[in-house]
Amino acid sequence: MYNNIKIGLLGGDLRQVALAKKLASMGFETAVWGLGVGGSDMLGEAVKCVDFRSAISSSSAVILPLPISADGLRVNCPLAKDSEELRLTQLVGLLEKNTIVLAGRLTDETRAVFDSGGIKIIDYYESEELQIKNAVPTAEGALAIAMNELPVTIRKSKCAVLGYGRIGKVLAEMLNNMGADVTVAARKSTDRVWAETVGCNSEDFKEFFKSDEKFNVIFNTVPSCIIGKEELSKIPLDTLIIDLAASPGGIDVKAVRESGHKVIWALSLPGKCSPFTAGEIIGDTIVDILRREGVVS
Amino acid sequence: MYNNIKIGLLGGDLRQVALAKKLASMGFETAVWGLGVGGSDMLGEAVKCVDFRSAISSSSAVILPLPISADGLRVNCPLAKDSEELRLTQLVGLLEKNTIVLAGRLTDETRAVFDSGGIKIIDYYESEELQIKNAVPTAEGALAIAMNELPVTIRKSKCAVLGYGRIGKVLAEMLNNMGADVTVAARKSTDRVWAETVGCNSEDFKEFFKSDEKFNVIFNTVPSCIIGKEELSKIPLDTLIIDLAASPGGIDVKAVRESGHKVIWALSLPGKCSPFTAGEIIGDTIVDILRREGVVS
Amino acid sequence: MYNNIKIGLLGGDLRQVALAKKLASMGFETAVWGLGVGGSDMLGEAVKCVDFRSAISSSSAVILPLPISADGLRVNCPLAKDSEELRLTQLVGLLEKNTIVLAGRLTDETRAVFDSGGIKIIDYYESEELQIKNAVPTAEGALAIAMNELPVTIRKSKCAVLGYGRIGKVLAEMLNNMGADVTVAARKSTDRVWAETVGCNSEDFKEFFKSDEKFNVIFNTVPSCIIGKEELSKIPLDTLIIDLAASPGGIDVKAVRESGHKVIWALSLPGKCSPFTAGEIIGDTIVDILRREGVVS
Amino acid sequence: MYNNIKIGLLGGDLRQVALAKKLASMGFETAVWGLGVGGSDMLGEAVKCVDFRSAISSSSAVILPLPISADGLRVNCPLAKDSEELRLTQLVGLLEKNTIVLAGRLTDETRAVFDSGGIKIIDYYESEELQIKNAVPTAEGALAIAMNELPVTIRKSKCAVLGYGRIGKVLAEMLNNMGADVTVAARKSTDRVWAETVGCNSEDFKEFFKSDEKFNVIFNTVPSCIIGKEELSKIPLDTLIIDLAASPGGIDVKAVRESGHKVIWALSLPGKCSPFTAGEIIGDTIVDILRREGVVS
């Protein structure tokens, strides 16, 4: 179905490995570079290239990792041999003008490199669909952390989920399905009603931090500092706190150092806990983008 | 309600800590020895004794750990200081004849020590109710292992559960609630019908090992060797195998060493993964036994 | 807590009965008229008035039914004796200017009657929270209809849910929990991703009506005509169609008459199937409004 | 797969119709008589015979309804024309000695008719697998009754399930999945522990009838009279009671007539509420029996 369309993948981690395998299995001619993994079976039908030039040449689309770069200069290649490296400027010079580049977590700087080279680049991480799908591996990763850390079972434990966005929704329901007693704290009353509808308790943040309820674990998904010195003073020291919110996160680091609470900052869980699933999700998104851009029909 | 009844706890791990706290919270006068934990809050109202004699004296019941002994001679005291040790024979000599002793996983030898001393001893680990309740922390522990090991999410993953006893039932349903695609392999057709009724697929073992289905993870709960050289030859090398069956377990160790499959032997999960919950479960069982024995009404 | 605050309820059905009982149980001095029900126990602490004047007098708030009126002239009193009737204009004349009136499903006409009288009136049916809460009794009512009509169990049946708004979300998940094979048809791709996330299949409407899948039941929640002659021609005659969308509904009535499909138009299910729950939901909403309006603190 | 094997179906209701369709779809040459339904599509590939002789002749197996007979004399033919009737003795006379007869709910009398004729007859209703599978349509039927009768939603309602056999297990979990607050009353402590494990509350019968808890609905599955005058005196009059237990059932009819409780006696729900599913279940069972008997391989 997607035969005769070549896609080049450069760099990345296990997510890109799963992504390459998926694209190849769909029929794309898939060439990878900078994924120095042994098991060819892990790459399926995808072909490994020793030189990035061969991966790029005559590719309709070039896919860069998530994040695109660790240092803002070179393509992020955690699995590559030290000898293998590719600078973004160098890459731009090699690309044909009509090639579409897809990458994750672009910064203004990295984006500028491609713009100045007249290369169209799209950030697949900005896809709302991808963000929703990522909520599942994120929630599972958070659940696994709680299971590993807590001396009690999730079943019958008291869990709090702060925030009811994508991750909050999926996590609260997952905990609920595991038999936990789940309380969702959310600002919007409609979010609280939805949480109640799926079987959770709900409170606004003021009620939540005022109440004397004791939780085994508190999961934060709110990306603004809502747990400071005063809030921590209300939380028992043996309550585990897991912060899932993107940096700067929702918990005052300095206050925690003083209070002595156990806090686990858990970021990028999809890539860490379920790289293959995360890669498949990126694959779905990339195919949608390629279709939207007319690269595939 | 249980005031004026003294119970002595000797040795044990975090399960005994939670158990002591629970019994004390119920009103029992609870005296512990050999649980050298710092936080008195962990023990709640229970009282720590420096000498086991004071923990024992005038106790209506004495509770020993699970397992009662690691070497068959001394009470199992993993949390105690090296100086602290108590030989079973010594303990028997100290007990008043009307004291009831409750312990876990008695062997003929350890039981004999108490019989010969004319001390009534009951194995709380033999309680069917305890075994059923333990299926939850066991299943959660198994789920956590799978989440930690698999590169994919449990949701949408293909999971096989071999055996449909207590653990198989709870684990299969838990995986199902997590959104996995669960196949139960069981010998009895009625077990298979029950598995289908709760939303799983089912096969007998012959069908299971003949089929070419590829699973992300296989959980074994059958306590007899059902996965040998031939069965392993049908299982892909990237399928994770988790053996939950009591020793000798269900997988041929020698065959695995040759085949190179990744097998995780996961035993005593309740105590390892959810010690507090496991301690509470032991507490429920002990109160039932004390009631049955007329120690409490 | 709400003592010394009088509320008058006029007319309505069993929802108003449950509402009156709830408000009275919360401490409001609750006076009802036009709910000619026998069992005083059904009304709990609420007091029945023979004359609407006594129900109204010195009430901080007056609550009218959902819908407020059947004929646009008189308060909707399905449970009242024929002799009992109250015209909206008459009511407005009796109300003190500072009284707040709460009613459901106001029309421009009915609203005008109160505006012209200088009486503040609020439509509690417009509350987003109420609409979300009503999704549960609506979904349960729809499930009950399907159970009553289908010759197969919901478990393992193939169910389609058209639209993924409030009712679609709750209904799809409820069917899923019952073990049905659920397909959600939705326009927005993010809605489809959410439906997949909770374990349903998803398609856009074009795919849905093109596919040859055979469903036991199709639930429509889309309030615009999406099932016309052509769509019906693709649906087997033994597929049950349940339309939950507000009038004009989503199915072309004329086309159905020709095609001979079995269609059930199911409207106002909360009031019909779960009047007490619906009344409680209205009660929650009314208390929120009274708090917002400063009638209660 | 099952071609060249003829099966004759005589009499029965919609379950037999679905059964005939299923057997025909599996490849059996399926001949039916006494199922005077119009829609040939309902019978699929099965062939209708005007004379029972042609349905019987050279059939390897003859399938009779559930129950086999209403009057103990003639085959149960609720869908047949009045002219069509078949006496059991007459049938026995027509059967070849090597024909296997399968029927449901045999009595000693009906069984004797075939024994005396030297015809092997097997009661498929005695299959444990069938009984387990039937628990699902039974539980759904009971749920539908409760939904139709209760003025509140199942979600958040308080439901009691008496007995924890096949039906109790499936019904309790179904109600639990619907969001109800479920209490299981059971005699065996292990059953109570299992009920707690799947998220229900549990009590033994003494506790249950002593407690002052108010339930919206009580489902009885215990086939011996456990709700008598005294028990009814503890149950509020607005609590709905649904008796699912086979005659004589679990509720003292005379006591109910005096107490005025609303009791619904709900028997044979699979056949009444989900005849097609019930027919498929019978089909599975019959194929198992035919395999066991060596009729099919």
Side-chain angles (χ1 to χ4, degrees), chain C residues 1-7 27-30 58-60 295-296:
Chain C
M1 167 180 187
Y2 297 127
N3 311 346
N4 314 324
I5 299 178
K6 182 180 173 188
I7 294 185
F28 288 105
E29 180 188 340
T30 311
S58 68
S59 284
S60 310
V295 177
V296 305

Side-chain angles (χ1 to χ4, degrees), chain A residues 215-230:
Chain A
F215 291 95
N216 297 95
V217 55
I218 297 175
F219 298 89
N220 175 61
T221 71
V222 181
S224 66
C225 186
I226 58 169
I227 302 187
K229 185 170 184 162
E230 191 189 333

Side-chain angles (χ1 to χ4, degrees), chain A residues 147 153 178, chain B residues 133-146 166-175 219 244 269-270:
Chain A
M147 288 177 131
T153 53
M178 288 290 294
Chain B
K133 289 176 182 172
N134 263 352
V136 172
T138 301
E140 283 200 12
L143 174 61
I145 292 170
R166 298 180 206 102
I167 294 170
K169 280 191 183 74
V170 175
L171 178 57
E173 193 143 18
M174 192 179 285
L175 293 166
F219 298 90
L244 302 167
L269 292 177

Side-chain angles (χ1 to χ4, degrees), chain D residues 19 27 40 49 55-56 71 96 129 133 190 216 220 228 244 270 273:
Chain D
L19 169 58
S40 62
C49 306
I56 296 167
D71 59 8
E96 289 142 31
E129 288 79 1
K133 289 175 181 172
T190 47
N216 296 95
N220 175 61
L244 303 167
C273 305

Side-chain angles (χ1 to χ4, degrees), chain B residues 128-129 132 173 189-190 194, chain D residues 128-129 132 173 189-190 194:
Chain B
E128 170 77 5
E129 288 79 1
I132 298 170
E173 193 143 18
S189 66
T190 47
W194 271 118
Chain D
E128 171 76 5
E129 288 79 1
I132 298 170
E173 193 142 17
S189 66
T190 47
W194 271 119

Side-chain angles (χ1 to χ4, degrees), chain A residues 128-129 132-133 135-136 165-167 169-170 173 177 189-191 193-194 197-198, chain C residues 128-129 132-133 135-136 165-167 169-170 173 177 189-191 193-194 197-198:
Chain A
E128 170 78 4
E129 287 79 0
I132 298 170
K133 289 175 181 173
V136 171
R166 299 180 206 100
I167 295 171
K169 279 192 183 71
V170 174
E173 193 142 17
N177 290 342
S189 67
T190 47
D191 281 343
V193 173
W194 270 118
T197 302
V198 296
Chain C
E128 171 76 5
E129 288 79 0
I132 298 170
K133 290 176 181 172
V136 171
R166 299 181 207 102
I167 294 170
K169 280 192 183 74
V170 174
E173 194 143 17
N177 290 342
S189 66
T190 47
D191 280 344
V193 174
W194 272 118
T197 301
V198 297

